[in-house]
Amino acid sequence: ENTELIPAWRILKTQKKAGEYADAKENCLDLLDTEDRNPELNVLLDELNDCLVPQYEEKLKENPEDTETIIELGWCYFQQQRFDKVEEVLTSVEKEKYKEYDYTNLMGRNYLAMEQYDKAISYLLCWRSMIDATENDGTKDSKKKLNRKGFSHFSVGLCHWNLGQKD
């Protein structure tokens, strides 16, 4: 086990035990940004999503247009590889009500995962442009976006390739 992860791992386990699933998930995702090949983190992420999905679904029964909760639920479904559910939940509210980056990122990556390249390409092009326009201002948000720059370019290329647009 990577000894550098032990303090962070303890925090995640403590948050999970305390029922702080959303915070634990956010911290788990931060660790996965640097330790993406750690199978224990992926197992923990699955467990956290299993805990969060019913909570988010219940929250949406009270407020079906809560776009922040919809996005969070969508990411849970995405990470569970329930791609049809991602599309279903994201299309339950008008696109204009979402924060553009969040909606575009999730919808594009979801269609990419479904290998629906014709649907994914427009979202991924927009997502890539948003990332390319991001300035490194030292915030967690800009760092997170910039860490996805390579993947955003790869995703667009993958769509072009699979759509026969090899030029």
Side-chain angles (χ1 to χ4, degrees):
E1 187 173 313
N2 185 340
T3 56
E4 294 174 17
L5 285 178
I6 291 174
W9 187 256
R10 285 189 185 132
I11 292 169
L12 292 174
K13 289 291 195 177
T14 301
Q15 287 176 315
K16 182 183 175 204
K17 189 174 182 178
E20 298 169 3
Y21 306 123
D23 291 337
K25 179 180 175 178
E26 184 66 29
N27 290 327
C28 185
L29 289 170
D30 288 345
L31 282 175
L32 280 167
D33 273 346
T34 58
E35 298 287 333
D36 68 336
R37 298 191 190 276
N38 185 314
E40 292 153 343
L41 285 173
N42 286 304
V43 168
L44 179 59
L45 180 62
D46 290 341
E47 292 170 1
L48 293 168
N49 281 326
D50 289 343
C51 294
L52 286 167
V53 165
Q55 289 181 357
Y56 291 146
E57 289 174 338
E58 190 62 34
K59 196 172 177 183
L60 286 174
K61 285 181 185 175
E62 297 168 18
N63 184 3
E65 294 197 11
D66 178 354
T67 56
E68 287 184 33
T69 300
I70 291 171
I71 291 291
E72 291 301 325
L73 179 59
W75 278 115
C76 289
Y77 287 149
F78 181 81
Q79 291 154 350
Q80 294 174 323
Q81 298 182 5
R82 297 169 65 188
F83 305 122
D84 289 339
K85 293 291 287 179
V86 175
E87 184 178 20
E88 179 184 317
V89 76
L90 285 182
T91 57
S92 68
V93 175
E94 295 172 31
K95 176 184 169 186
E96 293 75 29
K97 294 190 177 184
Y98 292 99
K99 291 180 184 169
E100 186 179 12
Y101 180 87
D102 296 337
Y103 177 85
T104 303
N105 177 9
L106 182 53
M107 191 63 100
R109 290 173 67 178
N110 191 61
Y111 283 134
L112 180 68
M114 295 171 72
E115 298 180 351
Q116 293 183 10
Y117 306 110
D118 56 327
K119 291 182 179 179
I121 189 72
S122 63
Y123 292 105
L124 294 174
L125 284 167
C126 184
W127 180 55
R128 183 187 69 185
S129 294
M130 286 184 232
I131 291 172
D132 287 344
T134 300
E135 291 187 35
N136 187 356
D137 59 8
T139 62
K140 183 178 178 180
D141 184 58
S142 71
K143 182 180 178 186
K144 198 174 205 177
K145 287 177 184 177
L146 292 170
N147 281 344
R148 285 155 181 72
K149 188 171 191 165
F151 181 70
S152 70
H153 284 262
F154 170 80
S155 299
V156 169
L158 185 63
C159 285
H160 283 305
W161 180 266
N162 281 287
L163 292 170
Q165 302 165 348
K166 296 178 173 106
D167 293 337

